[in-house]
């Protein structure tokens, strides 16, 4: 049992309930009490936390990542997306389970230290000599202790078929589907507090055949798991889709059965007004990745329009090879700034940014019944932000301090009642050890590509 007391609380519930001085009580991994005023002190043994000068929010949910890319940061610094991919694909051919585990462990640690309690990782690179890289990803999630939506990605369209990846980096279509089904059987849990879930994620229309897209959708729906892919990230993608299929990426996705309440799409930058309406009407989610989109110069997603249309919108960090920071808390401010650059100062406010990082992400991943807000009965995934320093002095609104100010240190990160971060220190692994492993993995991968 954990009692958080004397703290500001932003519950992100359907009413937007907030407490300027309140409490949250956790028991057996669940929230049992939240409200204003001092916490009720239970008779049972408990950990009491004086959280004065802190803000408690739901744990953040990262809806799109490529953790293996932590081993290839800093490359192709001034490239377009297609140039960036063709530069990095030859490097990623050397990926193996050791590199994947080191990169994923470091990436998940950074996410935890920036408020993330659930990360969706889209892993789509499976070199034939790389060993069991998907298991390496899952074991990294268990090591760090935050929740993982492990997306079994795939590519079957190499350069000889008009795709971007080298032919020796793609899989056979049937083999990819068989391996995806195996991953679901091995790792997916339906429990509402599951630490590991599996989703199905062919990489993108320009690296995946029509047969793999439709086969993956059928497979996912047969097993009741979610679907994820990249869509409408760049104008190059739209031009290629129009040339090959005579339609836009969104129209192509709909033809293939890839719109629906069990689907969330990464980026969705280049959407027509009709496409925005289709995503809203079908409750198709969007993983908005503002920093990565800025790094690659792909454009600004129509987040305000998507929200107004009723589409679930969450935040994504994206792979660290296109977002070297790799943290989640900075994405709230980036999302707010980009929305306002597109639509003016009232296009997105600080609480809407917080909603996207929490309930919006939970909706994208189909977990809003148990995660994403601070309500009795929900799983206790909580971030306790320390706003006591000079950087926040005089900011009366704690949510504004979190979103607009310097990213605050974490007093606590709690995942299902278990403390993962305390006083800014990761408790589940040594960050020095993670850094050594990552440096070694990065050197190994990049040396192999020379």
């Amino acid at each position: 049992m954990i009692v958080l007391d004397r703290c500001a609380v932003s519950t992100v519930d359907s009413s937007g309930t907030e407490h300027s001085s309140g409490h949250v009580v956790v028991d057996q991994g669940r929230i049992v009490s939240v409200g204003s005023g001092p916490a009720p002190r239970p008779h049972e043994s408990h950990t009491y936390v004086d959280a004065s000068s802190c803000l408690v929010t739901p744990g953040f949910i990262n809806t799109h990542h490529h953790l293996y890319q932590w081993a290839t940061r800093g490359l192709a610094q001034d490239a377009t997306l297609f140039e960036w991919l063709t530069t990095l694909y030859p490097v990623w051919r050397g990926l193996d389970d050791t590199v994947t585990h080191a990169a994923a462990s470091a990436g998940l640690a950074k996410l935890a230290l920036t408020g993330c309690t659930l990360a969706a990782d889209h892993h789509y690179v499976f070199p034939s000599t790389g060993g069991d890289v998907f298991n390496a990803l899952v074991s990294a999630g268990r090591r760090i202790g935050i929740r993982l939506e492990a997306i079994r990605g795939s590519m079957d369209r190499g350069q000889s078929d008009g795709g971007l990846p080298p032919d020796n980096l793609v899989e056979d279509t049937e083999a990819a589907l068989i391996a995806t089904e195996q991953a679901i059987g091995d790792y997916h849990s339906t429990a509402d507090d599951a630490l590991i879930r599996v989703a199905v994620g062919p990489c993108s229309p320009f690296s995946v055949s029509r047969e793999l897209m439709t086969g993956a959708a059928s497979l996912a729906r047969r097993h009741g798991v979610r679907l994820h892919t990249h869509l409408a990230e760049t104008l190059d993608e739209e031009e290629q889709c129009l040339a090959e299929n005579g339609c836009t990426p969104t129209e192509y996705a709909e033809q293939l059965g890839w719109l629906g309440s069990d689907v969330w799409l990464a980026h969705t930058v280049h959407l027509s007004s009709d496409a925005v309406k289709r995503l809203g009407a079908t409750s198709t989610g969007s993983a908005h990745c503002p920093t990565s989109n800025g790094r690659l110069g792909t454009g600004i997603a129509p987040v305000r329009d998507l929200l107004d249309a009723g589409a679930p919108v969450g935040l994504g960090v994206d792979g660290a090879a296109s977002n070297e920071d790799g943290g989640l808390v900075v994405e709230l401010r980036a999302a707010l700034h980009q929305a306002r650059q597109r639509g003016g100062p009232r296009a997105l406010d600080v609480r809407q940014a917080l909603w996207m990082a929490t309930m919006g992400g939970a909706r994208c991943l189909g977990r809003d019944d148990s995660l994403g807000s601070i309500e009795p009965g929900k799983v206790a995934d909580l971030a306790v932000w320390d706003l006591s320093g000079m950087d926040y002095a005089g900011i009366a609104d704690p949510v504004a301090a979190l979103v607009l100010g310097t990213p605050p240190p974490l007093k606590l990160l709690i995942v299902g009642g278990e403390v993962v971060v305390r006083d800014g220190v990761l408790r589940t692994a040594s960050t020095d050890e993670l850094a050594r492993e990552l440096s070694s993995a990065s050197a190994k991968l990049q040396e192999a590509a020379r």
Side-chain angles (χ1 to χ4, degrees), residues 32 34 76 81-82 132 139 158 174 179 194 234 272 321 323 333 355 361 410-411 432 435 438:
V32 295
V34 55
L81 174 64
F82 279 17
D132 194 345
S139 64
E174 187 62 25
T234 68
S272 67
N323 177 0
R333 180 169 57 183
W355 183 90
L410 273 173
K411 186 178 182 71
D432 288 341
L438 178 60

Side-chain angles (χ1 to χ4, degrees), residues 15-277:
S15 301
T17 306
E18 296 185 354
H19 308 288
S20 58
S21 180
H23 64 270
V24 181
V25 180
V26 174
D27 188 21
Q28 297 185 19
R30 301 275 172 171
I31 298 161
V32 295
S33 176
V34 55
S36 293
R41 297 295 293 270
H43 297 296
E44 299 90 343
S45 175
H46 62 276
T47 299
Y48 178 83
V49 179
D50 182 349
S52 53
S53 299
C54 291
L55 169 66
V56 181
T57 69
F60 292 166
I61 295 172
N62 175 20
T63 58
H64 183 68
H65 211 113
H66 308 293
L67 287 164
Y68 75 89
Q69 290 182 13
W70 269 78
T72 55
R73 291 184 293 171
L75 304 178
Q77 297 170 20
D78 305 310
T80 66
L81 174 64
F82 279 17
E83 292 167 345
W84 178 87
L85 285 169
T86 53
T87 300
L88 286 166
Y89 277 139
V91 182
W92 295 337
R93 279 189 302 211
L95 194 71
D96 63 16
D97 46 9
T98 301
V99 172
T100 299
H101 183 77
S105 296
L108 289 167
K110 180 58 181 283
L111 290 169
L113 289 164
T114 56
C116 179
T117 52
L118 167 58
D121 187 64
H122 190 188
H123 191 102
Y124 55 85
V125 177
F126 294 89
S128 58
T129 59
D132 194 345
V133 293
F134 199 76
N135 180 69
L137 165 64
V138 171
S139 64
R142 290 172 173 156
R143 177 185 186 185
I144 302 303
I146 69 172
R147 300 184 200 283
L148 179 66
E149 184 88 8
I151 306 162
R152 208 298 180 177
S154 51
M155 300 187 293
D156 69 341
R157 188 181 179 201
Q159 289 174 344
S160 63
D161 291 323
L164 287 180
D167 286 350
N168 59 4
L169 201 58
V170 302
E171 298 177 275
D172 171 78
T173 305
E174 187 62 25
L177 291 170
I178 290 171
T180 301
E181 189 161 34
Q182 183 67 48
I184 296 169
D186 287 347
Y187 301 112
H188 182 68
S189 171
T190 58
D192 73 342
D193 61 348
L195 283 173
I196 308 294
R197 285 191 175 179
V198 175
V200 176
C203 181
S204 64
F206 51 82
S207 59
V208 172
S209 68
R210 179 182 289 265
E211 291 74 22
L212 183 52
M213 290 292 286
T214 55
S218 176
L219 170 66
R221 287 170 178 143
R222 190 164 68 248
H223 288 279
V225 301
R226 300 185 79 75
L227 283 160
H228 184 59
T229 194
H230 298 86
L231 199 82
E233 186 174 359
T234 68
L235 288 173
D236 289 340
E237 175 190 339
E238 177 153 349
E239 290 169 2
Q240 181 173 334
C241 193
L242 285 167
E244 292 180 349
N245 304 300
C247 60
T248 68
T250 306
E251 291 167 340
Y252 183 62
E254 187 159 29
Q255 289 176 16
L256 302 179
W258 269 79
L259 297 186
S261 60
D262 58 349
V263 178
W264 86 107
L265 306 168
H267 301 295
T268 64
V269 174
H270 297 281
L271 299 177
S272 67
S273 59
D274 286 342
V276 168
K277 291 174 184 175

